[in-house]
Amino acid sequence: MLAAVVAVAAAWSAVVHAGPCWNLTHPECWFSGRALLHGGPSQLGDFHGCVDRLRQQYCLLSLRLGPAVDSREQPSQLWLGIQEAAALRTRFRRDLLERGLCVPAGVAAQRVAEGVQSALSEAASAEGVTASVEAAEGACQTAGVDAFQWDTADVAVGGVAVFLLVLVVVATTTEGMLRLKNSTAKSKGLRALLCFSLISNWRRLSQPPRKRLNLRYVQGTRFLTMTIIILGHRIVLLEAAPILNPELIEKSYGRIDWTTIFNGHLVVNTYFVISGFLLSYLFLQEVASKRKFRVSYIWWACLYRYLRLTPSYAATVAVASTLAPHAGRGPLWSRLLGWDRRACRSHWWANMLYVNNYVHADDTCLLHTWYLATDTQLFAVFLVVLAAVWRWPRAAPHLLAACAALSCLVPALAAYFLQLDPTLLSLPETLRRLSYDETFLQSYVPAHMSASPYVAGVIAGYVLHRRQSQAPGKRLPKWAAALCWVVLLTLPMATLVSPYPFYQDDWLDSPTIAAVYQAFFRLTYGVGIALVIFASASGVGWFASSALSWRPFQPLGRLTYSAYLVHYTMQKCKFGLQFHEEYVAESRVISHWFSDIMEAYFCALVLCLMVELPTSALCNVLLPQGARKEGQEAPSWKGDAINRVEVSKNAVVGSGISLAPSVDVNMCATTASASTNGSVTTLSMDGRAPAGKMSAVVNGSHRSPPTTMNGSAAMQSVDSTSGSPAEVSELVTTPTSEIYGAAVWRVTAPDVPATAIETCHL
């Protein structure tokens, strides 16, 4: 039987691909010294010809070579060459091979493997090696047969996707009809439905920032970091995929410029710095404005974060485990897409609980989502730390210094006692089996190993808050600004190229050096990125701040979370559809990189508009105020009347009035002022207005606006006289409005003092 299988396989192989390399009777094509030692470890053959033209079965077999029993005392030249390659860390192993084979449909994969091993045993022995042939689950694919059978979960997720699409269409149509009728949603149910409207969500995606601190540069940093992560993951998949010229990558480890690419995984720490900075600064600003802190704030903050992140995350896990594996086929399709299908169905709960960086980390669903678990754990821990910082302000510097020291000490001890590499080294065999690499599991993904860049961000936010509260409006001294720039231009780049010696074949592992390097390399990179953010927030970011604040970066930055979720699965689909070995060239890598960015952000746009933004808006509609984001309350002027109030940037000055500015003041205008002349209160704004509503409120009353204006009509004025206690005038701008000049509201209420003014209530 085995002989028959081998004979038929050989015949089909010869037909599918002309030439001796597809015929099992030509062992030089399987065990040629030159092909093994200098060619790629994987040869895919002609998948398209086998499955689509001949309508037969394609099998991708794994071969493990070893020394022949009778030649161990005097190994063959072929085996000596294989051993020499395996001894060098920058070389691909030549004893682990993959070969594509076309066989008649209906033959079991295991029988194919047994038949091939039997046929090759004599040829392998002649070359002084042994060959063990295996066929993994899903190794064989047949024409007209889906690699993965449809089941109940697939149908259920498909049904939910169709329902969501219908819901979006209904919500968008409903909002369009309401706009035609110049009406608004009054009931909570209708407002919940409109959360899924593409009109509203597109406006939210494209509108300017709405924070009390202008964070435009943060969005630019997020987007650019994401593009580098996409490049890094392309390199990971490229080294794990069949390539024609592996020697190009092997030689690249000797180039210091390529070290920045191989060490590109370090840039994910940028997100830790940003998260720590935003958490620290906004938390301290919030508790400072309220002059009080409740423990329930931690609960609400964690709950809101969970509800904001999880729907899009769950949707990505669901699609990766059900629908995505049915989207195509190819030699590597079952391996690349089958992993997430199996792992996500088994361990999805670890992802939803954000513990997949510790639980089933070696068999995790969506490998790249370790970051979400780590960031969530650090978020919860440092919420408690910041509560202690606010409770005991005198001890705050010592507490933060202790956190920084601990974040360096723990990685050092772990690296020394667990015998880890100095950093995650992007070596060929490491990337081919990344999920099982000890440094990846023990050093790269755990939260306790990635705390130092988060601490750098937290300290930057703390220093910025203290500086603004103690010396508002004061610019950094020139020497301090210059020092920031020297550090931020040197530290991140120096850290990126610093692992160069570790990639050399003559490097000798040292536990002491590994411990020292593990202690500081994340912190030095984090300090550099934190200084970029701090300098931009302090007004000395100069061209870097302007470049990162480029207007197109704003929506792209908002899409980054969705892009992070979907990009790796999208890249695996592209590699799974690859029918032939890849020829590696720098120009081709760059071309594929830009293609990956565009495709990832297109998929992210769909996920963001259909899941991320709707569910975030739904939380704001259905949850109580405590669960929402901090800093959305309107300011309040307390007094008998307003003589003069000027709102400029992040400061408010007035006659006997001291007040924290509105969250949205800086977003709405360059300058704004409010004044009272007798019984008439006038609010004037000069600058750029975003999409949404801006209103003036007298005596706390907020009624329906008597007049609504759009777009260029913003230069007009609105008068309202009546009222006990007052009427309200609103300006509604379009999503792309850029209003310059003076937009003036005049609200008249005889003999009623002005006690509250609200600006930019969006």
Side-chain angles (χ1 to χ4, degrees), residues 300-633:
W300 284 121
C302 292
L303 176 63
Y304 186 88
R305 176 187 172 88
Y306 185 85
L307 294 177
R308 181 171 57 86
L309 297 183
T310 305
S312 298
Y313 191 9
T316 306
V317 170
V319 171
S321 62
T322 56
L323 302 182
H326 297 288
R329 63 179 182 177
L332 305 175
W333 186 267
S334 296
R335 178 196 304 172
L336 293 175
L337 280 298
W339 177 287
D340 283 336
R341 179 180 173 88
R342 175 192 53 78
C344 290
R345 292 186 176 213
S346 301
H347 314 311
W348 61 269
W349 55 270
N351 294 69
M352 295 300 98
L353 293 177
Y354 296 91
V355 294
N356 53 300
N357 59 332
Y358 288 107
V359 181
H360 298 294
D362 59 345
D363 190 30
T364 188
C365 161
L366 299 178
L367 184 65
H368 63 295
T369 58
W370 67 267
Y371 161 77
L372 298 179
T374 299
D375 190 69
T376 299
Q377 293 156 14
L378 293 173
F379 175 87
V381 169
F382 280 94
L383 264 179
V384 178
V385 172
L386 288 169
V389 166
W390 178 82
R391 177 64 180 82
W392 297 286
R394 292 186 178 180
H398 305 288
L399 179 59
L400 293 177
C403 290
L406 192 62
S407 70
C408 294
L409 180 61
V410 170
L413 294 176
Y416 187 84
F417 289 105
L418 297 178
Q419 298 293 297
L420 303 177
D421 291 330
T423 184
L424 177 62
L425 299 176
S426 300
L427 297 168
E429 294 307 317
T430 299
L431 297 184
R432 290 170 69 88
R433 291 159 182 81
L434 186 59
S435 297
Y436 308 110
D437 182 72
E438 197 68 16
T439 300
F440 176 78
L441 296 175
Q442 301 291 342
S443 171
Y444 189 67
V445 303
H448 62 270
M449 301 291 283
S450 301
S452 53
Y454 207 97
V455 173
V458 168
I459 293 175
Y462 169 79
V463 172
L464 181 64
H465 165 74
R466 287 290 302 272
R467 189 172 178 277
Q468 289 184 345
S469 60
Q470 294 177 357
K474 185 178 180 181
R475 297 178 65 87
L476 281 176
K478 291 184 178 181
W479 67 267
L483 180 61
C484 282
W485 272 95
V486 170
V487 175
L488 67 88
L489 288 176
T490 55
L491 272 187
M493 185 55 65
T495 308
L496 280 172
V497 301
S498 61
Y500 174 77
F502 307 146
Y503 282 103
Q504 306 314 302
D505 289 323
D506 57 355
W507 171 259
L508 298 177
D509 292 334
S510 168
T512 302
I513 294 178
V516 173
Y517 191 83
Q518 283 274 6
F520 296 109
F521 82 95
R522 294 183 185 88
L523 182 63
T524 54
Y525 179 85
V527 168
I529 300 301
L531 285 176
V532 174
I533 299 174
F534 181 81
S536 299
S538 301
V540 293
W542 300 324
F543 71 90
S545 180
S546 300
L548 294 174
S549 301
W550 189 37
R551 189 169 181 178
F553 284 161
Q554 306 313 304
L556 292 173
R558 293 189 182 98
L559 288 173
T560 293
Y561 173 61
S562 293
Y564 188 86
L565 288 175
V566 303
H567 80 280
Y568 197 50
T569 299
M570 181 273 300
Q571 287 179 312
K572 289 202 291 186
C573 287
K574 293 179 69 174
F575 275 91
L577 292 171
Q578 181 177 307
F579 286 176
H580 302 287
E581 296 87 351
E582 176 83 8
Y583 181 82
V584 180
E586 294 180 8
S587 59
R588 290 174 61 87
V589 171
I590 294 174
S591 175
H592 288 312
W593 174 35
F594 281 102
S595 173
D596 289 347
I597 293 172
M598 290 187 290
E599 293 168 5
Y601 272 85
F602 175 79
C603 296
L605 179 64
V606 175
L607 180 63
C608 185
L609 291 178
M610 295 189 66
V611 181
E612 182 184 352
L613 289 178
T615 52
S616 176
L618 198 61
C619 289
N620 288 332
V621 171
L622 301 180
L623 290 179
Q625 182 67 27
R628 304 179 188 177
K629 286 183 178 179
E630 63 272 18
Q632 291 186 344
E633 297 181 1

Side-chain angles (χ1 to χ4, degrees), residues 5 8-9 12-13 16 22 44 46-61 100-113 135 138-145 329:
V5 170
V8 176
W12 277 113
S13 299
V16 171
W22 274 89
L44 298 181
D46 191 355
F47 177 89
H48 173 70
C50 179
V51 175
D52 295 329
R53 286 195 293 111
L54 296 177
R55 311 293 292 176
Q56 296 302 317
Q57 181 173 251
Y58 173 91
C59 295
L60 187 62
L61 305 178
L101 187 68
C102 189
V103 300
V107 180
Q110 189 59 35
R111 300 305 297 270
V112 173
C140 295
Q141 301 181 56
T142 306
V145 179
R329 63 179 182 177

Side-chain angles (χ1 to χ4, degrees), residues 655-705:
S655 177
I657 299 169
S658 178
L659 176 70
S662 165
V663 138
D664 295 312
V665 162
N666 192 36
M667 176 191 70
C668 288
T670 303
T671 60
S673 64
S675 61
T676 299
N677 183 9
S679 60
V680 179
T681 300
T682 302
L683 172 66
S684 301
M685 303 185 73
D686 185 1
R688 178 177 298 183
K693 298 178 180 179
M694 295 174 286
S695 62
V697 183
V698 175
N699 208 32
S701 176
H702 200 151
R703 297 184 181 178
S704 298

Side-chain angles (χ1 to χ4, degrees), residues 19-211:
C21 288
W22 274 89
N23 193 326
L24 294 178
T25 62
H26 291 269
E28 65 271 15
C29 295
W30 291 75
F31 303 111
S32 166
R34 177 173 177 79
L36 285 180
L37 299 180
H38 300 284
S42 300
Q43 296 178 13
L44 298 181
D46 191 355
F47 177 89
H48 173 70
C50 179
V51 175
D52 295 329
R53 286 195 293 111
L54 296 177
R55 311 293 292 176
Q56 296 302 317
Q57 181 173 251
Y58 173 91
C59 295
L60 187 62
L61 305 178
S62 299
L63 285 76
R64 179 182 292 271
L65 304 183
V69 176
D70 56 354
S71 63
R72 289 181 178 176
E73 294 183 359
Q74 188 176 359
S76 65
Q77 291 298 316
L78 177 60
W79 182 248
L80 288 175
I82 292 174
Q83 285 185 310
E84 181 182 351
L88 302 176
R89 61 171 59 198
T90 59
R91 299 285 299 274
F92 289 87
R93 290 181 62 175
R94 265 60 178 192
D95 59 332
L96 301 177
L97 311 176
E98 286 183 318
R99 295 293 185 267
L101 187 68
C102 189
V103 300
V107 180
Q110 189 59 35
R111 300 305 297 270
V112 173
E114 293 172 358
V116 171
Q117 181 166 334
S118 175
L120 294 179
S121 58
E122 183 177 348
S125 178
E127 295 289 340
V129 296
T130 60
S132 174
V133 183
E134 297 179 357
E137 182 181 357
C140 295
Q141 301 181 56
T142 306
V145 179
D146 197 341
F148 303 98
Q149 298 299 318
W150 284 82
D151 57 16
T152 305
D154 299 334
V155 175
V157 172
V160 171
V162 172
F163 172 78
L164 183 60
L165 180 61
V166 171
L167 184 63
V168 169
V169 171
V170 171
T172 305
T173 304
T174 302
E175 182 171 3
M177 295 176 63
L178 288 174
R179 289 195 170 204
L180 288 176
K181 296 178 180 179
N182 198 23
S183 179
T184 58
K186 308 241 187 275
S187 67
K188 180 177 284 190
L190 186 55
R191 284 189 286 121
L193 173 64
L194 295 184
C195 292
F196 293 87
S197 169
L198 291 178
I199 299 173
S200 296
N201 290 321
W202 180 262
R203 184 177 67 246
R204 294 177 60 203
L205 179 63
S206 58
Q207 71 184 9
R210 299 196 300 171
K211 297 289 184 183

